Amino acid sequence: LARAARAGAEHLANVPLQTEKCVDKDLGVLCSAKRALGLCPDPLCVRGCTGCRPFAEGLFYPKVVRADRVEHELAFATRGSAIPESLHGIWWMDSGGDSLPLPGDPEYRAGANRTGEVLVAFGDAETMWQPETGCVTPVPWYGGRGGHIAFFNNRDGLRQWGNEMSSQRSLHFCFRDEAHREVSVRQSYRLPAGLGPALREAVGFQDAGGGYWFQPDWLLSTEMVLKPWGWDRTAQGPAAGRPRARLAPDQLRALGDALPQERYLLACAHRICRYPLLQIVDGHGRRTERYGAYLRSVGRVPADVPGTLLVAKRVS
């Protein structure tokens, strides 16, 4: 177990800082005034800041939007943004491999199960660029003020959004190079009370503060490498050549029940899961040549309202 904990701690080499913001319950200017008077000890989210509500405690809902108008619905990073240019625009997570073969890279092979998430962007108010860590963080997978993640408008998409809301999972995109072409994706989320200190230590979870925990890389290591056509996104599970914890069967069951992406972990347990992230809208707000393929892909998936997606938004 100690070996597993040490292996899990490896992900702290480039760990993002926590940047969850505090939002006033009544009027934003009041919270700013309290901070100016020194009543709030930190400019970011502090639960002891009387009258303020942390970002994750707001009201979220899945807004039904037209798939052919996502550039008007998602908050994406644009030219002049502090977010590195390689993450500007709107990105299609083609987990179904519908874009293949890729022009200029016919040998590329995707290998993943289709998930309920479809689009992601990095321009929402709560997402920041941290030059001290090299991370774009946090990217809440359960929604944002402007809306930066879209799910399929069907049972699977709604179920995945519900799971993300329950765990309050955020992703942290940490660059490994100065050219901003290689990324390690960190994950943090809440763990249920049933996952006690002994199991957390055995697995290698690291305290992220505020009741959140960073997931160790041995459990699921997610990386992205920029190619001429977009991002090559890979995920390696526990049995795909990564360090493994020696957990008892009851510990494994408790861990599986607790993790927000348990099904995905199982799917990647004995292989490297891979799919392309393709830019469908650039940093200027212009559609790219991938937009048509994205629309055709969405059209192949049954939806409660044809031609629509769900964009997760925070409304208060």
Side-chain angles (χ1 to χ4, degrees), residues 27-258:
L27 188 62
V29 68
L30 296 179
C31 201
S32 298
K34 291 170 186 173
R35 291 196 188 97
L37 293 172
L39 300 179
C40 300
D42 194 293
L44 302 177
C45 178
V46 177
R47 291 177 182 273
C49 176
T50 304
C52 292
R53 175 167 53 192
F55 173 81
E57 293 181 8
L59 176 64
F60 294 80
Y61 83 108
K63 179 182 179 182
V64 178
V65 304
R66 283 173 46 180
D68 61 357
R69 288 188 54 82
V70 291
E71 59 267 46
H72 305 291
E73 297 287 351
L74 292 177
F76 57 90
T78 60
R79 185 176 183 180
S81 166
I83 302 296
E85 187 176 357
S86 55
L87 292 180
H88 286 187
I90 300 175
W91 295 85
W92 169 30
M93 297 176 280
D94 183 21
S95 58
D98 295 332
S99 61
L100 303 183
L102 293 171
D105 195 356
E107 301 303 317
Y108 181 85
R109 295 289 181 269
N113 295 341
R114 191 187 297 274
T115 63
E117 57 207 3
V118 185
L119 301 174
V120 65
F122 301 89
D124 229 331
E126 59 275 4
T127 298
M128 303 179 184
W129 164 242
Q130 290 182 346
E132 63 270 37
T133 63
C135 298
V136 174
T137 176
V139 184
W141 228 240
Y142 50 91
R145 290 183 184 86
H148 57 264
I149 184 164
F151 301 89
F152 285 115
N153 185 10
N154 57 25
R155 184 174 61 182
D156 289 339
L158 193 60
R159 181 189 299 116
Q160 181 167 348
W161 174 73
N163 290 339
E164 304 295 354
M165 278 298 305
S166 297
S167 66
Q168 295 182 356
R169 183 166 69 118
S170 288
L171 271 61
H172 315 268
F173 293 75
C174 298
F175 287 95
R176 303 195 303 262
D177 66 324
E178 294 184 358
H180 300 149
R181 300 179 62 88
E182 298 181 6
V183 173
S184 292
V185 184
R186 317 298 185 192
Q187 300 189 40
S188 63
Y189 42 79
R190 293 189 181 279
L191 292 173
L195 201 70
L199 183 53
R200 288 200 303 264
E201 182 178 355
V203 173
F205 283 102
Q206 297 291 330
D207 189 357
Y212 293 87
W213 296 84
F214 283 115
Q215 176 178 278
D217 270 355
W218 77 263
L219 194 58
L220 184 70
S221 176
T222 305
E223 300 180 349
M224 295 174 12
V225 176
L226 190 62
K227 304 289 186 179
W229 40 260
W231 290 98
D232 177 20
R233 184 257 190 213
T234 60
Q236 301 181 62
R242 311 297 296 173
R244 299 197 65 181
R246 291 171 172 81
L247 302 178
D250 60 327
Q251 290 179 312
L252 285 172
R253 285 193 296 271
L255 183 63
D257 292 340

Side-chain angles (χ1 to χ4, degrees), residues 277-291:
L277 268 74
L278 303 172
Q279 189 185 55
I280 63 165
V281 174
D282 66 19
H284 298 276
R286 301 173 300 205
R287 295 183 177 186
T288 72
E289 68 276 9
R290 306 289 188 190
Y291 205 98

